[in-house]
Amino acid sequence: MLRGLLLLLSRQSWLRHWLETSPAAGRVTSRFVAGSTLERELAVCQRLNNDGILATLDHLGENVTSVQEAQRSRDAYLAALDAIPRLGLRATISVKLTQLGLDLSRDECRANVEQLAGRAKSVGSAIEVDMEASQYAERTLDLVAHVHAVHGSTRAVVQAYLYRSAHDIEELCRQSIPVRLCKGAYQEPSDVAFPAKRDVDANYVKLMTRLLDAGANPALATHDEKILDRALAHVREQKISPDRFEFQMLYGVRRDLQRRVVDAGYRLRLYVPYGNAWYPYFMRRLAERPANVLFLIRNLLRS
Ligand SMILES: Cc1cc2nc3c(=O)[nH]c(=O)nc-3n(C[C@H](O)[C@H](O)[C@H](O)COP(=O)(O)OP(=O)(O)OC[C@H]3O[C@@H](n4cnc5c(N)ncnc54)[C@H](O)[C@@H]3O)c2cc1C
């Protein structure tokens, strides 16, 4: 119930405005967000690379309401991509299509994504297209397939809570499109997504196994230690080489598990957000673990 409430609050603009402009904002966000500037983001990614961890840069933002705003997001990502070879970073970028104008114009959005994918390829990086609420799933996967066919260097995201995901995984494997598998972070109705967490977890394991066996460079995005152990057992049984897949986790979440993965010799990429539009991202992190709400309240009370 608390998860539903937090996800509902994640869409409330009054609360967003109050929190994003609160004097405590920096303290509240520092756990999950690298900082407000690209400079700060790059410093964090550099440090991660030095620790043997790959990064994916997320310039925070979603559901923009003007074409100009979408273009500003694209330009922020172009600046990030230009910095990657300059600093010798091992990093990709993660984008949301509603941040690049999907709600406004499919053509405008596609042009923005194509520009980013082209630039990513030219600097030896790649673009990962986050999956948002289920109403965007079809359009997102169509656009990823198109951009991957033209430029390569594009990864799709599949959410294990959606009933459609087994079918999507087969299609993506058939087209050799790399997939990031996650559980799913949005509030979805029971006619499109498994309502019970145990069913989501079971579906994750099923899809993960399929991706490890047949996927192109899959990324297993989870902090679920039991699932991670299942993945490692499968990899060992099937003698799958560690360079054929990667684990992904969120900046600030389960640092102990992150270290364990790296120390065991597996590839790990951290999803590292930066920028000022942190509110919806942050609220989804609270919804995943209601104990995080105490952390928020403590920091707000200190202001
Ligand atoms: C790299 C990456 C990219 C992602 N991209 C997307 C995307 O494009 N679309 C999308 O819908 N979702 C995305 N997600 C979010 C994902 O769908 C889940 O909501 C989130 O990862 C929590 O699920 P879990 O697999 O960690 O398992 P859970 O069962 O939720 O958590 C397992 C354990 O991890 C720890 N944990 C999990 N979340 C938190 C948290 N916020 N704070 C503290 N501890 C926590 C807890 O110890 C928990 O017991 C992404 C996640 C990752 C790691």
Side-chain angles (χ1 to χ4, degrees):
M1 207 172 93
L2 186 56
R3 176 175 185 271
L5 175 65
L6 288 165
L7 289 175
L8 178 73
L9 290 177
S10 76
R11 300 191 293 276
Q12 304 304 310
S13 51
W14 60 272
L15 186 58
R16 176 178 186 160
H17 179 74
W18 180 63
L19 276 175
E20 280 184 352
T21 53
S22 149
R27 274 207 306 281
V28 165
T29 56
S30 61
R31 164 139 186 226
F32 297 115
V33 177
S36 56
T37 63
L38 174 60
E39 208 181 13
R40 181 78 200 110
E41 169 81 353
L42 295 170
V44 168
C45 294
Q46 188 111 60
R47 181 171 55 70
L48 292 173
N49 278 189
N50 292 342
D51 288 345
I53 298 173
L54 308 169
T56 185
L57 287 72
D58 167 39
H59 182 255
L60 289 162
E62 50 203 86
N63 296 106
V64 299
T65 53
S66 74
V67 167
Q68 291 75 14
E69 223 184 319
Q71 289 167 347
R72 279 198 294 276
S73 296
R74 177 204 61 202
D75 292 345
Y77 275 117
L78 288 172
L81 284 169
D82 288 343
I84 287 176
R86 198 171 65 238
L87 298 173
L89 291 178
R90 291 179 299 145
T92 60
I93 57 166
S94 283
V95 304
K96 288 187 173 46
L97 293 190
T98 66
Q99 171 185 28
L100 295 168
L102 187 62
D103 287 326
L104 308 165
S105 148
R106 211 189 274 214
D107 288 347
E108 177 79 23
C109 178
R110 187 175 54 218
N112 287 334
V113 180
E114 283 209 40
Q115 202 176 337
L116 292 176
R119 182 73 63 89
K121 190 176 180 186
S122 74
V123 300
S125 179
I127 160 169
E128 315 204 11
V129 181
D130 290 353
M131 186 55 83
E132 303 176 67
S134 59
Q135 76 207 74
Y136 300 110
E138 196 71 30
R139 283 175 284 170
T140 302
L141 292 174
D142 283 354
L143 202 142
V144 168
H146 168 79
V147 176
H148 186 267
V150 178
H151 299 279
S153 340
T154 312
R155 178 177 266 144
V157 175
V158 170
Q159 298 153 321
Y161 63 16
L162 295 185
Y163 301 132
R164 59 175 289 158
S165 291
H167 172 262
D168 290 337
I169 293 263
E170 290 310 316
E171 266 307 297
L172 291 159
C173 288
R174 196 180 58 73
Q175 298 172 76
S176 297
I177 298 177
V179 172
R180 173 202 299 158
L181 180 64
C182 65
K183 289 188 186 174
Y186 296 81
Q187 184 76 9
E188 296 291 356
S190 60
D191 57 332
V192 300
F194 295 102
K197 187 172 183 315
R198 66 173 180 282
D199 294 331
V200 178
D201 292 356
N203 200 38
Y204 191 104
V205 172
K206 193 176 104 192
L207 301 179
M208 167 182 91
T209 310
R210 181 73 187 133
L211 279 175
L212 285 170
D213 292 342
N217 190 18
L220 307 177
T222 185
H223 318 90
D224 187 324
E225 200 158 0
K226 281 200 193 110
I227 290 185
L228 193 130
D229 285 335
R230 293 280 292 266
L232 293 180
H234 185 76
V235 161
R236 281 193 288 264
E237 262 165 44
Q238 298 302 315
K239 302 193 172 26
I240 297 170
S241 159
D243 60 5
R244 286 212 15 235
F245 68 96
E246 67 186 42
F247 289 105
Q248 294 192 349
M249 296 188 201
L250 301 176
Y251 178 73
V253 176
R254 289 298 309 261
R255 268 167 266 187
D256 56 329
L257 199 55
Q258 295 173 13
R259 190 46 31 217
R260 205 192 119 193
V261 166
V262 177
D263 288 349
Y266 292 98
R267 272 197 294 167
L268 173 68
R269 186 181 302 279
L270 285 200
Y271 186 102
V272 190
Y274 69 105
N276 294 316
W278 51 265
Y279 176 76
Y281 177 87
F282 181 81
M283 293 301 279
R284 288 196 292 276
R285 302 296 77 82
L286 294 190
E288 281 155 7
R289 192 160 179 265
N292 290 341
V293 175
L294 291 177
F295 160 85
L296 169 70
I297 293 170
R298 256 200 321 271
N299 279 291
L300 285 175
L301 289 178
R302 275 172 56 203
S303 65

